[in-house]
Amino acid sequence: MSLPSLAQLGQLIHSPVDYLHLYTQCEREGNLTELLTALETLPFSEIREARRARILIRLGMSEEAKILLAPHLSEPLCLAWYLALLVREVDETQLRRIITRYPVTWPLNARPTNMEAKARMHIVRGAAFVTLNMTDSAAREFSEAVRLSELLGDRLTRSVAVVEFARRDLFNNKLEKAATTYRDVLRDVPASATIAEYSMSYLTLLHWLLGWGEDGLSDWARHALCTASLGKWSGKPVQYPPEITLYKLGEVLHTLQELRSLCDAQMLYTQSPADSSIQQLLAHIQSIHLDPEANEIVRQMVQYAFALALGLTGQPEALEVLGDGVPAPTNGILQLALLHPVCQMEIQIRQQQENLESFQRHQQDFAAGFPRLSEAAQHWVARWMQHFTPYALHVVSQESVLLQEATQSCLRIEQGQAFHQSQIWPLHTITPVWVQALGQPAVVVANVLDAHLIHRKDKEKSKAFPRLASASLGKLDA
């Protein structure tokens, strides 16, 4: 496509709907870089900077966009785009400050861009309210954004507001309802639009959390779902959109699974993997953990993975990295919040920590939360624990038949024998090839587990957990 003349472009940037038509056409045809270059040649105006910033955001250059917008926050549209970036990064105290400091009070007057900015600001404030778990306030903000977008004739911004309604439902544990809204948006907007990619990203996470298949997902979304589910992708290489980092979820979980297998092997065999291989995997997980470019759900799962990796390798800071709880808004997704006490127990068991009161509290938290999950969420939690928290799984297995059945997928080592799926083998027959043929099940050593199998209702307080008998147990040579 050919861009309009500079004179025409200088007028278009002040007309929200006409500029949006140009923007979406350039986005669809891959000409955003050319549009950005054309904008840079226009005479300076704060509206021009807002248009440039939007393109930078779309191209995955959010930090550059913030730097561009920061000197021009007196312009409502610049402020709206700046806060749209900020609201995803700051803590709850700063979110409250944003809500208080930036009410949407400026007049509409004769500038259409002010109405565009007002709609965007209502979306920003609504997103902040979602994180603060103030869902009614969020709904009012999103409804006002929809109203203003419809008055303006801006269907894309209206879809952004509708997507934020879905985000509110997602973090209020209404997963199926959120998925329906994301699908509706995907039918209404071009596949190349930012909001379509954002919706597809969250829809993919919902497919993962609910145990759904890949129907209705794009190629990159199917790849993300496959790897997050610990599958091996057999399709063609895929390219993710610039702002989508969903691939990190599968990457970190596959790496954690490999790390757990190597740590199990170190415990099982005299000829075990070198420490350098384990340290390389730990460093890789840490590098993903240090990268902030991911949505809330992926960030939380990466944090779990890093804490468990530290626990596997005996690092004392594992519980510190895990933290005291799941931050908002992710704590609104019950099955993700329930993984926190699970990881706490797993790390305490593996590191033979002696805080019985803390351990029992986490066990009770799980016992209280698990029955509240939907059937799909319970199956998801059980599968996740099979792979990553096998000791914690055995501890809480009395809570349901599902969890009891899930323990059968682990390789349990006890009294010179190996137990797996109701079968028994002499321990000396266990080889790396044999374990690999079983699918690299997580290993549970009874001596380690028995020190922590304390029933929830047991009122007796032990002052210390038994320690591992000796270093020779680590090799388990029959």
Side-chain angles (χ1 to χ4, degrees), residues 75-149:
E75 164 54 48
L77 194 56
C78 288
L79 176 65
W81 280 110
Y82 184 82
L83 293 180
L85 293 169
L86 204 62
V87 78
R88 304 293 188 187
E89 303 172 357
V90 299
D91 60 25
E92 293 188 22
T93 300
Q94 292 171 304
L95 285 176
R96 295 181 189 278
R97 189 176 298 129
I98 288 173
I99 291 169
T100 303
R101 184 175 178 182
Y102 298 108
V104 190
T105 56
W106 55 77
L108 294 179
N109 57 45
R111 296 179 60 198
T113 54
N114 270 15
M115 185 181 293
E116 178 185 2
K118 282 175 76 76
R120 288 278 172 184
M121 276 296 294
H122 282 297
I123 292 172
V124 167
R125 289 170 57 83
F129 280 126
V130 168
T131 301
L132 295 171
N133 199 29
M134 301 171 67
T135 55
D136 290 340
S137 297
R140 285 193 291 271
E141 297 288 348
F142 296 146
S143 295
E144 185 63 11
V146 168
R147 185 185 72 84
L148 291 171
S149 300

Side-chain angles (χ1 to χ4, degrees), residues 213-274:
E214 61 182 27
D215 288 351
L217 300 183
S218 65
D219 287 344
W220 61 261
R222 289 190 294 110
H223 174 271
L225 178 63
C226 174
T227 56
S229 304
L230 300 178
K232 185 175 181 181
W233 179 250
S234 57
K236 297 179 180 178
V238 298
Q239 183 173 1
Y240 283 75
E243 290 185 282
I244 302 300
T245 56
L246 205 54
Y247 61 88
K248 292 181 180 178
L249 178 59
E251 183 179 346
V252 78
L253 293 181
H254 272 278
T255 307
L256 179 62
Q257 185 182 45
E258 185 178 356
L259 176 64
R260 189 221 71 215
S261 297
L262 288 184
C263 290
D264 287 346
Q266 268 203 338
M267 181 171 54
L268 283 172
Y269 315 119
T270 303
Q271 298 297 323
S272 58

Side-chain angles (χ1 to χ4, degrees), residues 28 36 51-52 54 73 104 117 130-131 183 208 227 237 261 271 276 390 421:
R28 184 170 55 251
L36 179 62
R51 303 304 185 199
R52 289 176 61 200
R54 180 174 186 173
L73 300 185
V104 190
V130 168
T131 301
R183 288 196 195 94
W208 179 59
T227 56
S261 297
Q271 298 297 323
S276 59
Q421 299 290 17

